[in-house]
Amino acid sequence: MGPTVPVVTLWDWLPAAFDPVLILIAVWLGWKADQFGKVLIVALAAFGGSVLVSWTVSGLGLPWVAPVRSDGLTLFPVRWIAAMLWASGAYAAKRLARG
């Protein structure tokens, strides 16, 4: 018997992409970025911050939108891409608002 391939549905991906801490950090710092190259750093900060908060909340046994557990899905690539998209969106919105 070969290896089992896990099936991850869209409903498993959405909480990781819409983690409130990830969105808050990415949008706030993305808005403050003055160069597009800093969006990568902003996304890294948002990713790290959201994972730490999610890990802490999950470790305390409290319910969380996007938990990080050893027995569950963490979906780090989804979180990273979502952080990039949220930060890029905030950066672009600020540029459009400036004119």
Side-chain angles (χ1 to χ4, degrees), residues 55 58 67-74:
W55 177 69
S58 297
V68 175
R69 300 182 314 264
S70 61
D71 63 338
L73 296 170
T74 55

Side-chain angles (χ1 to χ4, degrees), residues 2-62:
T4 304
V5 177
V7 176
V8 182
T9 65
L10 177 65
W11 301 113
D12 294 327
W13 292 45
L14 288 177
F18 289 95
D19 183 352
V21 175
L22 180 121
I23 294 170
L24 180 70
I25 295 171
V27 169
W28 180 51
L29 293 177
W31 185 267
K32 293 193 169 279
D34 58 353
Q35 298 173 350
F36 186 74
K38 293 181 182 176
V39 171
L40 180 66
I41 297 168
V42 166
L44 181 61
F47 170 74
S50 74
V51 168
L52 286 175
V53 169
S54 296
W55 177 69
T56 302
V57 170
S58 297
L60 294 172
L62 300 172

